[in-house]
Amino acid sequence: MGVTPFLAWLRDEPETVPREIALFCVVRLREDALFADELHTAHERHPGLSIHLHVSSESGTFTVDRIAEKTGGLDRCEVYLCGPRPMVDALERGFRQHGVDRTAIHFEEFAFR
């Protein structure tokens, strides 16, 4: 899901997050990570939240293998995706190849017209 609604939820969440959440924020350039400081501050308030910034110009293509490596696996996960259609399609295929059920993969579509 997009980072803006996620941030709004975190700002409104007075207690700890209800489950473990790993947020992967993928940007092309480090300066594109507009909310990085706020996300890291949210992690301090919500220990069940882990923040992972992936800068593709420095680390290459973002893949499900990288997610699995950072999270320790994808067992019983729910996945929420938002981003450019080619990236979302590639990640969805990757999650399915890792055995994530189609019903556990959710995405928000957006497009510039």
Side-chain angles (χ1 to χ4, degrees):
M1 65 194 250
V3 72
T4 306
F6 189 80
L7 280 170
W9 176 75
L10 281 174
R11 291 173 186 151
D12 199 38
E13 184 66 29
E15 302 296 324
T16 60
V17 294
R19 62 185 57 88
E20 287 189 33
I21 297 173
L23 174 67
F24 291 85
C25 186
V26 180
V27 294
R28 182 167 297 150
L29 303 170
R30 188 166 294 279
E31 56 266 23
D32 294 336
L34 302 177
F35 299 105
D37 291 340
E38 184 174 355
L39 289 169
H40 286 291
T41 300
H43 167 69
E44 294 169 7
R45 289 192 339 264
H46 303 288
L49 171 66
S50 61
I51 305 296
H52 307 274
L53 177 62
H54 180 88
V55 181
S56 59
S57 64
E58 299 170 11
S59 302
T61 302
F62 183 67
T63 65
V64 174
D65 288 335
R66 290 177 188 251
I67 295 170
E69 178 184 306
K70 295 278 187 184
T71 60
L74 302 172
D75 297 338
R76 299 180 3 199
C77 70
E78 292 283 326
V79 177
Y80 295 84
L81 300 169
C82 181
R85 191 74 212 179
M87 182 184 80
V88 169
D89 290 345
L91 290 172
E92 182 179 17
R93 279 191 307 276
F95 281 114
R96 296 287 295 132
Q97 290 169 353
H98 275 79
V100 176
D101 190 86
R102 183 178 311 279
T103 62
I105 302 171
H106 317 277
F107 53 91
E108 177 179 83
E109 290 191 64
F110 72 92
F112 295 107
R113 296 176 198 231

